[in-house]
Amino acid sequence: MHSHRGSWDWLAATAVVLALLTLTNCSRPTPDTPASTSPASMGPTQEHRIRFSSVAKQTGIDFRYQNGEALWLVAMIESNGGGVGWIDFDRDGRWDLFLPGGGQLTSERRPIMVANGLFRQTTQQGFAPAAEQAGVEAGVCYSFGVAVGDYDADGFPDLFITGYGGQQLLRNLGDGTFEDATALSGFSHHGWSSSAAWFDAENDGDLDLYIAHYGIWSPETDKRCSNGSGELDRCAPADYVGESDELWINQGDGRFEDRSEDVKTFSYRGIGVIACDFDHDGDTDLYVSNDEDPNVLFDNQLEEQLAGSKRDTQNHQQFKEVGATSGTALGSRSIVDGSMGLALGDFDGNLKPDLMVTNYQNEYCELYLNQGKQYFTLGTRSSGLMALGQAVVGWGTAFGDLDLDGDEDLLVIAGHTSRKPIKSSNLQKPYLLENKDRKRLVSCGESTGEFFRQVHAGRGMAIADYDNDGDLDFAVSMIEQPMELLRNDTPKGNYLIVDLVGLRSNRDAIGAWLELELQEESPEGANRLEPSSSSRKLLKHRFAGGSYASSHASSLHLGLGNTTRINRLTVHWPGGKIETITDLLPNRRILVIESAERAD
């Protein structure tokens, strides 16, 4: 949608300072086992009420991720592609877009750095190139991912870039430019890092960093492989040894301490990471998707350590790996998958965050339904997600209420890593699945816009309401194809957008979550308060990471359907503090600032 609504307004509330802003509105040879070639859908292509338009070119964004595949070296490093990151780097209230550039390869397979992209949004809802002026154009690595977070808590979001041959921390100076703070920070790894997520591991108010690593690769160790038909193609993950991930703890002075020993139990081929308080215990957990290795869930047990003297805090492990016991290590096939992208949202409406993991060909995109206390059940079959089939090689993904009806729909971006896949195709269609009654996901992508009827070399994806009209749009990075921006043109519904600012918590409020109690319309249609028994609730988490190598916009976006009044907004801050605001109107963007009092 791109219509305007309302005007600016300011209100105050008890418990927190509240400013309400009413908006102006992985590669491997492909096995020979059969694979479905198309997902179940609505049937013959017909226009759907959810509509997206491709607008990158008309808004001034011209950028493509490069991987060097033109030389046909079939190097392993070419496979994974890059992400995208939404960032309001100049704090003007409009979302800007950062894009890792990737890299080229010499004939000896040695990486050549490629310029990154930064596009600043203008007042006309167009974008202008800003990478050179902002000082973020020059890269130090064959880049893959971007993690956006305000690690120095100065109010201006910073950038961390993953890749091969180095990592880069770009500190936002607040004047429209960035400085390279990599050397001071201590980040020094020169292997293959895939994705990263900022989070507050210790609830001390500043952001720490988890970095997922893929495998041990170099130009000297790159192998020559073939597919099932004997043709030259990229190698399988099993041809390369995995590498342990990194954990860095913020010291508060620009430097980070390497605590990677805390998570080095496993040397897997990591691709995605997401940071979220999965069990609602007040500290932030981590989930890592791995390529042909078990996925891992690190339960942050910080709050248990702080609970009392009965626990031996010196010998107690803060991050306990519970992937197997939680039911999230494997999928429907009960063997390891080639996992890539991660989506988080309350699909089934039980007020707990569920996980969706995109996987490789001949595997399923898997849905893990959160039952509480770090226990999940598989919802892949019951939700209809299996109907996507097994030809899909999924990457960037996100839950989001795309039609503003009060439930979480699903986006999946796809593209094969094999140049010559068997019983599939290198270029693939993306998918949009509509949530039906919080029970089923129904594919309707081809009827929602031209982008969903075309095939792409899709990789990273991130969502944002970039045009400030109240609905969710998204940006997509593709290998050696122009990136795309998809504007949501769905008929309007009611919504609420919440920006959180932590004071005692980390400033980005990563690890927080919201509960909304909505006022249902009375049978007579009157706009009056109903008894609490007739209200319903929505849940939204402030998480970091997710999708593939990308950063979603930090605002929390909730579709409200026909609801015209919000009875109660409850904010659960990291560390356990709970604050409540009552009697809100929809169709606003609000800023909620944590109070300075300690949690009880």
Side-chain angles (χ1 to χ4, degrees):
M1 294 169 60
H2 50 284
S3 59
H4 297 310
R5 307 178 192 171
S7 59
W8 292 91
D9 189 18
W10 295 86
L11 298 177
T14 58
V16 295
V17 180
L18 176 66
L20 287 101
L21 314 179
T22 304
L23 296 175
T24 53
N25 182 198
C26 15
S27 70
R28 71 224 70 194
T30 308
D32 291 326
T33 52
S36 172
T37 57
S38 63
S41 65
M42 298 175 59
T45 301
Q46 54 184 321
E47 186 169 310
H48 193 276
R49 60 190 178 82
I50 301 177
R51 300 292 299 170
F52 281 90
S53 299
S54 301
V55 297
K57 185 176 181 180
Q58 72 186 62
T59 56
I61 301 177
D62 183 10
F63 191 86
R64 69 175 62 208
Y65 181 91
Q66 301 177 54
N67 72 339
E69 67 182 16
L71 293 179
W72 190 230
L73 300 173
V74 293
M76 187 69 174
I77 199 172
E78 300 172 358
S79 305
N80 289 7
V84 299
W86 289 105
I87 175 173
D88 182 7
F89 79 95
D90 53 2
R91 303 299 294 164
D92 65 352
R94 293 183 290 267
W95 291 108
D96 313 304
L97 192 61
F98 180 85
L99 298 155
Q104 294 287 338
L105 296 173
T106 68
S107 58
E108 292 80 27
R109 297 179 178 78
R110 298 200 174 277
I112 303 171
M113 313 314 167
V114 171
N116 300 313
L118 176 65
F119 292 85
R120 178 179 178 270
Q121 189 175 170
T122 66
T123 55
Q124 292 78 27
Q125 295 182 355
F127 291 81
E132 182 178 5
Q133 180 182 2
V136 302
E137 187 176 43
V140 301
C141 59
Y142 184 116
S143 56
F144 295 113
V146 55
V148 177
D150 185 7
Y151 79 91
D152 55 359
D154 64 352
F156 292 90
D158 311 298
L159 295 164
F160 183 81
I161 302 166
T162 63
Y164 176 80
Q167 300 162 339
Q168 193 171 21
L169 178 64
L170 297 172
R171 178 173 174 261
N172 192 334
L173 298 179
D175 60 358
T177 67
F178 292 74
E179 68 174 4
D180 193 322
T182 312
L184 173 63
S185 68
F187 300 122
S188 58
H189 192 275
H190 286 80
W192 184 342
S193 55
S194 302
S195 298
W198 295 102
F199 76 116
D200 188 356
E202 302 174 313
N203 279 347
D204 60 356
D206 52 28
L207 290 180
D208 312 303
L209 188 66
Y210 188 97
I211 308 171
H213 283 257
Y214 189 71
I216 299 174
W217 178 93
S218 71
E220 293 77 18
T221 60
D222 191 65
K223 301 176 182 180
R224 306 291 280 177
C225 300
S226 58
N227 62 17
S229 298
E231 301 173 290
L232 183 66
D233 210 337
R234 296 180 183 130
C235 295
D239 292 313
Y240 294 90
V241 177
E243 186 173 34
S244 297
D245 297 343
E246 295 179 86
L247 175 63
W248 291 81
I249 302 300
N250 194 332
Q251 301 302 292
D253 58 359
R255 296 176 298 171
F256 289 75
E257 179 184 347
D258 187 355
R259 298 263 190 91
S260 301
E261 290 298 326
D262 293 355
V263 294
K264 277 189 174 178
T265 308
F266 312 98
S267 295
Y268 291 160
R269 291 168 286 261
I271 290 188
V273 57
I274 194 165
C276 171
D277 188 356
F278 287 106
D279 55 356
H280 289 176
D281 66 350
D283 48 39
T284 307
D285 313 302
L286 296 160
Y287 184 83
V288 184
S289 58
N290 296 305
D291 193 2
E292 294 192 359
D293 286 309
N295 297 332
V296 297
L297 174 58
F298 288 108
D299 179 22
N300 188 343
Q301 300 190 340
L302 173 67
E303 291 304 313
E304 293 183 31
Q305 292 186 32
L306 300 177
S309 58
K310 293 183 179 181
R311 185 175 293 277
D312 182 357
T313 58
Q314 289 186 343
N315 297 320
H316 181 67
Q317 182 181 8
Q318 180 180 340
F319 289 96
K320 182 179 180 182
E321 204 291 301
V322 296
T325 57
S326 70
T328 61
L330 305 176
S332 303
R333 304 178 312 134
S334 299
I335 58 176
V336 294
D337 291 320
S339 298
M340 278 85 82
L342 299 169
L344 185 140
D346 184 14
F347 160 73
D348 57 1
N350 72 341
L351 302 182
K352 297 177 179 64
D354 306 313
L355 265 172
M356 203 286 294
V357 181
T358 61
N359 290 314
Y360 197 69
Q361 183 182 351
N362 297 319
E363 302 165 1
Y364 297 105
C365 291
E366 299 285 4
L367 178 62
Y368 301 93
L369 301 176
N370 193 335
Q371 306 302 316
K373 298 182 178 179
Q374 304 294 34
Y375 176 67
F376 295 74
T377 57
L378 274 172
T380 309
R381 183 181 298 278
S382 62
S383 67
L385 196 55
M386 275 187 177
L388 277 184
Q390 294 181 300
V392 178
V393 178
W395 291 90
T397 184
F399 277 113
D401 191 352
L402 304 177
D403 52 2
L404 303 180
D405 65 349
D407 54 31
E408 301 268 23
D409 309 303
L410 182 65
L411 288 165
V412 177
I413 304 301
H416 216 295
T417 59
S418 172
R419 291 290 296 270
K420 299 178 180 180
I422 306 298
K423 298 182 180 178
S424 188
S425 59
N426 177 260
L427 304 181
Q428 299 190 346
K429 293 178 181 179
Y431 299 100
L432 190 160
L433 298 100
E434 184 183 5
N435 190 327
K436 295 288 191 179
D437 302 318
R438 301 180 182 84
K439 295 179 181 179
R440 301 281 293 177
L441 289 165
V442 177
S443 179
C444 58
E446 291 192 16
S447 61
T448 61
E450 187 63 26
F451 177 78
F452 291 94
R453 293 190 285 272
Q454 299 169 338
V455 293
H456 313 275
R459 291 299 189 267
M461 181 269 288
I463 57 176
D465 179 17
Y466 88 89
D467 52 0
N468 284 342
D469 68 348
D471 53 24
L472 286 172
D473 317 294
F474 65 98
V476 182
S477 175
M478 296 176 275
I479 290 181
E480 296 291 353
Q481 295 176 333
M483 69 79 56
E484 193 52 271
L485 175 63
L486 280 300
R487 186 188 64 209
N488 194 334
D489 293 328
T490 305
K492 67 180 181 181
N494 293 325
Y495 66 90
L496 182 71
I497 300 173
V498 182
D499 295 304
L500 298 176
V501 174
L503 292 183
R504 303 199 67 90
S505 308
N506 67 88
R507 195 181 193 284
D508 286 1
I510 294 168
W513 77 94
L514 306 178
E515 286 187 29
L516 258 68
E517 183 180 306
L518 305 182
Q519 176 59 52
E520 298 281 34
E521 293 291 341
S522 67
E524 298 78 21
N527 290 326
R528 60 179 178 80
L529 291 180
E530 292 284 326
S532 59
S533 60
S534 66
S535 63
R536 62 186 177 96
K537 293 184 178 181
L538 298 178
L539 178 84
K540 201 71 176 181
H541 278 75
R542 174 68 173 103
F543 64 87
S547 187
Y548 162 68
S550 298
S551 290
H552 302 298
S554 58
S555 298
L556 302 182
H557 181 279
L558 299 103
L560 306 179
N562 295 323
T563 297
T564 58
R565 179 175 292 276
I566 301 162
N567 291 347
R568 184 176 292 104
L569 166 64
T570 303
V571 184
H572 299 258
W573 298 98
K577 183 193 297 183
I578 300 174
E579 296 181 316
T580 301
I581 305 148
T582 58
D583 296 330
L584 298 175
L585 296 176
N587 302 328
R588 297 168 181 255
R589 181 176 180 178
I590 68 173
L591 173 67
V592 181
I593 302 175
E594 182 185 15
S595 67
E597 288 80 13
R598 293 182 180 273
D600 294 334

